[in-house]
Amino acid sequence: MTETRRICLLPGDGIGPEITAEAVKVLRVIGEREVMTFEFNEALLGGIAIDETGTPLPEETLAKAHAADAVLLAAIGGPKWDTTDPDKPRPEQGLLGIRKGLGLYANLRPVKIFDALRDASSLKPEFLEGVDMLIVRELTGGLYFGSRARETDVPGAATGGGEGMRAYDTMEYREYEIERIVRVAFDAARTRGKLVHSVDKANVLESSRLWREVAHRVAQEYPDVEVVDQLVDNTAMQLIRRPAQFDVIVTENMFGDILSDEASMLTGSLGMLASASLGDGTALYEPSHGSAPDIAGQRVANPLAMLLSVELMLRYSFDMHAAADRLAAAIEAVLAEGWRTRDIADTSTLPQKMVGTSAMGDLVVEELG
Ligand code: NAD
């Protein structure tokens, strides 16, 4: 008997529907091979949801997301809905709303160098040998969610000693918040290189000292995984100096925000970066790029970040590691054969085999056999 997995699709705006079509195409083929039925349920999010319902995250969308086994989101937003009027709905509110609604506290971003795209990186190719890391960022705590305020008329706050303004943000972590995210990192490391860098600023911050204490406690449950404590400033440097030393990096919200953007640039191509956001219920998968309104409708968008998001979904929501490996290998093979969408074409090594969105999806399907 075939099993069924329900996927809530959120194509969103811009190139979103184009790359979603490729994901569905690839999942159908994988489903046939794996004797697994993928059931798709589409819902509205972002600009299109504003147009059709007046709100960026309709209740029906959140209900469909909760009811699914996984959510696959393409991208939202575009100039049509850009507004500075605080009373008007914005597509981004839909994105934040669905992350909050699903209780997604862990953001996973793999950074992998595809051999065929090595020249796209701003680092010299010899530094990129063996780079394959996963950044696990805490997503619902820390400085971005702690108490904050701006005060006026504070004595001595103005230049020259008069009354002026003062603002503060607080980096707060509760034990359980650290424990659950560190666990995500150790579980992931078990399926990869069995090494976790726990990144903090324990030489200065109390929240980091708690982070380190809890990380060490959790580490005892994973004797097969090596754990290394690293200060965040050192990590920022090591990512550029010797990125291949990392397997899994786990860190708090703001450190992770900055480090994951730094690390993503090792690949040099936005169209190749996927992400997973996990909580205790339905997880959400999405490419790191936006809705690319400048090329929407031209059928030239790169669908690979979306397909790499599908790979993460197979791994983390469906435990289909062999199928995920096959998809990753298929993408690698297509690139190795020289096939490129416009955004990853290297004009210095022409001729290359340029294709559009749909043809790139077809090539991956062909490789999957
Ligand atoms: P963007 O990522 O959409 O585009 C940046 C550049 O990269 C553009 O030149 C675009 O054409 C190109 N690009 C992006 N993805 C591509 C792909 N798959 N294939 C080929 N080229 C690709 O970022 P932006 O231009 O700053 O933002 C555009 C809109 O997307 C804005 O409304 C923004 O708010 C929104 N956005 C949404 C998300 C999300 O849905 N998670 C993330 C970032 C930005």
Side-chain angles (χ1 to χ4, degrees):
M1 208 180 79
T2 50
E3 282 188 72
T4 301
R5 295 285 181 273
R6 292 155 306 161
I7 300 169
C8 174
L9 293 176
L10 304 174
D13 309 312
I15 60 169
E18 297 165 46
I19 58 175
T20 302
E22 300 316 305
V24 170
K25 195 193 273 178
V26 164
L27 273 161
R28 288 225 159 93
V29 172
I30 292 173
E32 277 165 28
R33 281 272 306 254
E34 302 290 322
V35 201
M36 172 75 80
T37 305
F38 293 115
E39 244 175 50
F40 301 103
N41 198 355
E42 208 170 300
L44 299 169
L45 185 81
I48 186 163
I50 294 175
D51 286 353
E52 295 197 16
T53 70
T55 162
L57 175 60
E59 267 172 39
E60 191 191 341
T61 297
L62 197 53
K64 280 183 178 173
H66 272 297
D69 296 312
V71 178
L72 186 62
L73 162 66
I76 52 95
K80 182 179 173 193
W81 302 280
D82 281 347
T83 173
T84 48
D85 182 345
D87 297 326
K88 288 231 174 90
R90 284 176 293 111
E92 294 71 26
Q93 292 165 332
L95 202 57
L96 297 177
I98 195 157
R99 286 178 184 155
K100 187 158 180 265
L102 292 174
L104 306 172
Y105 57 78
N107 183 246
L108 277 61
R109 277 219 232 166
V111 177
K112 188 176 166 193
I113 308 295
F114 291 87
D115 276 342
L117 297 180
R118 230 179 249 206
D119 290 336
S121 174
S122 43
L123 283 197
K124 291 182 193 139
E126 60 264 34
F127 289 110
L128 300 171
E129 188 69 45
V131 169
D132 182 359
M133 73 180 91
L134 178 72
I135 304 202
V136 179
R137 166 188 168 194
E138 202 288 326
L139 209 55
T140 55
L143 203 58
Y144 295 174
F145 289 87
S147 52
R148 73 195 55 185
R150 184 193 282 234
E151 296 163 347
T152 50
D153 308 325
V154 178
T159 312
E163 288 187 345
M165 284 187 283
R166 183 176 91 108
Y168 64 84
D169 301 275
T170 322
M171 192 184 280
E172 268 180 44
Y173 269 104
R174 284 162 191 74
E175 237 180 299
Y176 81 88
E177 292 174 299
I178 303 171
E179 194 170 322
R180 65 186 182 182
I181 188 80
V182 168
R183 223 176 267 287
V184 168
F186 276 95
D187 284 339
R190 265 196 172 153
T191 68
R192 303 172 40 101
K194 299 188 170 50
L195 170 65
V196 170
H197 279 77
S198 174
V199 173
D200 60 38
K201 187 70 183 165
N203 54 343
V204 180
L205 303 175
E206 196 54 41
S207 55
S208 279
R209 284 192 275 270
L210 179 64
W211 181 282
R212 199 174 272 206
E213 209 177 295
V214 175
H216 284 194
R217 195 170 72 211
V218 174
Q220 287 174 5
E221 296 168 36
Y222 297 83
D224 51 327
V225 178
E226 188 190 344
V227 60
V228 176
D229 297 310
Q230 198 169 65
L231 296 175
V232 62
D233 38 350
N234 187 20
T235 307
M237 188 177 75
Q238 297 295 339
L239 276 173
I240 304 297
R241 189 172 161 259
R242 208 162 53 81
Q245 70 185 281
F246 296 107
D247 175 29
V248 175
I249 292 176
V250 62
T251 191
E252 70 89 37
N253 202 343
M254 184 182 68
F255 297 163
D257 189 6
I258 298 167
L259 293 179
S260 59
D261 266 22
E262 183 192 356
S264 71
M265 276 302 100
L266 296 172
T267 69
S269 40
L270 201 54
M272 300 298 299
L273 291 163
S275 84
S277 298
L278 317 180
D280 292 325
T282 309
L284 183 144
Y285 300 86
E286 60 181 321
S288 299
H289 60 72
S291 59
D294 52 332
I295 56 165
Q298 295 177 23
R299 318 247 352 120
V300 295
N302 182 354
L304 295 181
M306 185 68 162
L307 298 185
L308 291 165
S309 305
V310 168
E311 182 207 330
L312 294 178
M313 182 167 74
L314 294 171
R315 266 185 220 293
Y316 293 107
S317 281
F318 303 155
D319 231 359
M320 295 171 68
H321 294 280
D325 289 345
R326 269 198 295 280
L327 176 54
I331 292 170
E332 194 120 25
V334 168
L335 292 170
E337 286 159 21
W339 298 104
R340 299 284 186 274
T341 45
R342 208 169 64 179
D343 59 305
I344 49 172
D346 178 0
T347 43
S348 65
T349 59
L350 286 172
Q352 287 171 355
K353 302 185 255 184
M354 295 277 276
V355 286
T357 312
S358 174
M360 186 56 110
D362 290 343
L363 286 161
V364 173
V365 163
E366 234 170 76
E367 275 301 330
L368 282 168

